Amino acid sequence: MKNQPPIRIFAISGSREYRSDESLTFWKRILEESGSYAVTLAEAGERGTTVPGIEQLEDHDILLVFCKRLELSPAELIPIMKWCWKGRPVIGIRTASHAFQTWLDFDHEILGGSYDGHGPAERERLRQPVEKAAGHPVLDGISEWSGPAKTYRNPNLAPECVELIRIPDAGTLQPVAWTRTVPDSRGRVFYTSLGEPEDFAEPVFLRLLRNAVDWVACRSGGYQLRHLSEMETVKCPCGNTRRAFAVPENPLATVHMVDITEDSQSHYHRRLSEIYLIIEGTGFMEVNGERIPVKALDTLFIERGCRHRAVGDLRIVNIPIPSFDPEDEWFD
């Protein structure tokens, strides 16, 4: 992350049992030593009624929540709700699943969890990275480790969640860390039900949190390379397309190369806007019934809600913003 401004984190603390203030103060010092992160720590207190400095939230890049049952007024809660609903990055730790007594739906609406109590306290419990999630940026450098646990149970995660770490619990494997890309906003979320004070003394856990910060802030690795020539062709309303970066963990934008076919269909998107770049051929773009002649190197910006299709012997590059969502294609 050289030559990039520091990632600014607004961290709400207020979990007395798990000593969130001590853990986050320690973590803040470690992060800020690198110069790549800046943490504003707001100590709200367990069941607190106010978040000090909440008016500064909009000046940050990430909202981090490690508090328990805050009883916030609408004036205090609305900035947090707006942040989440706009798809801004969110990290939740441990008691974040029941962070806001006045917004209990935060757990399943934003974190994607289904908190259903916890198991007994155990002196040692193995944390196991999920094999099929190997290669996820948040698991970079993460291996198994052990520590005390009072395992939170989340039996029904939202379908967009990607499980990263599990703990054996009463004959099952409980997810204790996952990512989510929220469907409506395409916002990036990371949650872990770990967060005992002993976890913050474990280098692997600290690495996990740092990776999560980089991932929700879209700074993991700095770049991604995809080869359109090697991608599978799939059908789309305008023709045959190859899609780059169209994965759940990418909320920003995707790139599609499309060969237009005779059966292209007029359609629109309710959440996406698109940039069309004509790279070969001549033809038309139909936008809300208007036929616009196009040729190579012409480009159009199609706003969400506009009915459109490409017509002619054309190859185009299409860039949906935010990233492509197959549920957001409408033909009525």
Side-chain angles (χ1 to χ4, degrees):
M1 294 188 292
K2 292 182 179 179
N3 302 320
Q4 296 192 65
I7 297 173
R8 299 161 299 174
I9 304 165
F10 189 90
I12 303 176
S13 172
S15 185
R16 183 172 56 249
E17 178 182 359
Y18 299 105
R19 306 206 302 269
S20 61
D21 54 342
E22 297 177 24
S23 294
L24 291 179
T25 298
F26 172 70
W27 185 60
K28 166 184 165 73
R29 184 172 69 250
I30 291 175
L31 280 184
E32 292 185 338
E33 284 176 354
S34 72
S36 296
Y37 311 90
V39 181
T40 298
L41 185 55
E43 177 53 54
E46 190 165 314
R47 294 188 179 273
T49 59
T50 187
V51 177
I54 190 63
E55 68 279 358
Q56 302 174 37
L57 176 58
E58 281 296 321
D59 297 328
H60 292 73
D61 302 304
I62 294 172
L63 169 64
L64 184 142
V65 178
F66 188 7
C67 53
K68 182 178 179 181
R69 302 197 183 282
L70 301 189
E71 299 183 4
L72 302 182
S73 68
E76 293 265 333
L77 192 58
I78 284 173
I80 297 170
M81 289 178 143
K82 285 183 175 179
W83 176 282
C84 296
W85 290 338
K86 287 192 293 186
R88 304 290 298 277
V90 175
I91 290 176
I93 299 176
R94 192 61 174 174
T95 52
S97 57
H98 37 289
F100 308 111
Q101 191 65 18
T102 44
W103 187 21
L104 292 175
D105 287 342
F106 175 74
D107 182 28
H108 70 263
E109 285 185 3
I110 304 302
L111 301 180
S114 57
Y115 174 69
D116 189 26
H118 54 73
E122 301 280 350
R123 290 181 60 86
E124 289 290 323
R125 191 63 67 87
L126 186 65
R127 290 93 159 110
Q128 300 173 317
V130 176
E131 185 175 348
K132 69 178 182 180
H136 194 291
V138 177
L139 289 181
D140 180 47
I142 303 301
S143 57
E144 292 183 351
W145 81 98
S146 295
K150 187 164 60 175
T151 306
Y152 279 13
R153 291 167 178 162
N154 285 274
N156 298 296
L157 300 187
E160 314 82 28
C161 292
V162 177
E163 293 185 27
L164 301 180
I165 296 175
R166 296 172 178 153
I167 283 182
D169 176 70
T172 67
L173 286 172
Q174 282 293 324
V176 296
W178 62 80
T179 59
R180 185 188 187 210
T181 303
V182 183
D184 289 340
S185 66
R186 309 294 283 171
R188 284 188 173 192
V189 174
F190 169 83
Y191 172 75
T192 178
S193 61
L194 303 174
E196 302 269 1
E198 293 85 352
D199 286 322
F200 281 87
E202 172 55 58
V204 178
F205 181 71
L206 297 178
R207 174 69 176 265
L208 180 77
L209 289 184
R210 193 192 70 195
N211 289 349
V213 167
D214 293 345
W215 182 79
V216 299
C218 299
R219 296 228 187 142
S220 299
Y223 70 91
Q224 300 177 45
L225 175 64
R226 298 292 183 270
H227 301 287
L228 286 168
S229 61
E230 299 174 4
M231 290 186 168
E232 179 184 0
T233 298
V234 297
K235 190 67 177 172
C236 74
C238 280
N240 299 312
T241 185
R242 301 171 185 175
R243 295 173 175 146
F245 316 114
V247 292
E249 60 266 23
N250 170 35
L252 300 178
T254 47
V255 177
H256 306 185
M257 186 171 69
V258 187
D259 292 310
I260 306 303
T261 56
E262 293 182 359
D263 61 349
S264 66
Q265 298 175 272
S266 183
H267 63 287
Y268 67 98
H269 309 284
R270 294 178 180 174
R271 293 191 296 272
L272 305 176
S273 296
E274 296 178 290
I275 296 172
Y276 275 67
L277 169 64
I278 314 303
I279 57 176
E280 292 180 14
T282 59
F284 297 88
M285 286 294 301
E286 290 186 359
V287 183
N288 287 338
E290 180 182 357
R291 288 171 65 92
I292 305 166
V294 293
K295 61 184 185 305
L297 298 186
D298 286 346
T299 185
L300 292 88
F301 181 83
I302 309 294
E303 296 182 8
R304 62 183 181 176
C306 289
R307 287 167 171 78
H308 61 280
R309 70 170 181 149
V311 180
D313 183 18
L314 296 169
R315 170 171 281 187
I316 68 167
V317 168
N318 173 25
I319 303 175
I321 305 169
S323 59
F324 175 69
D325 180 357
E327 301 297 320
D328 190 27
E329 291 182 333
W330 304 91
F331 301 90
D332 54 18

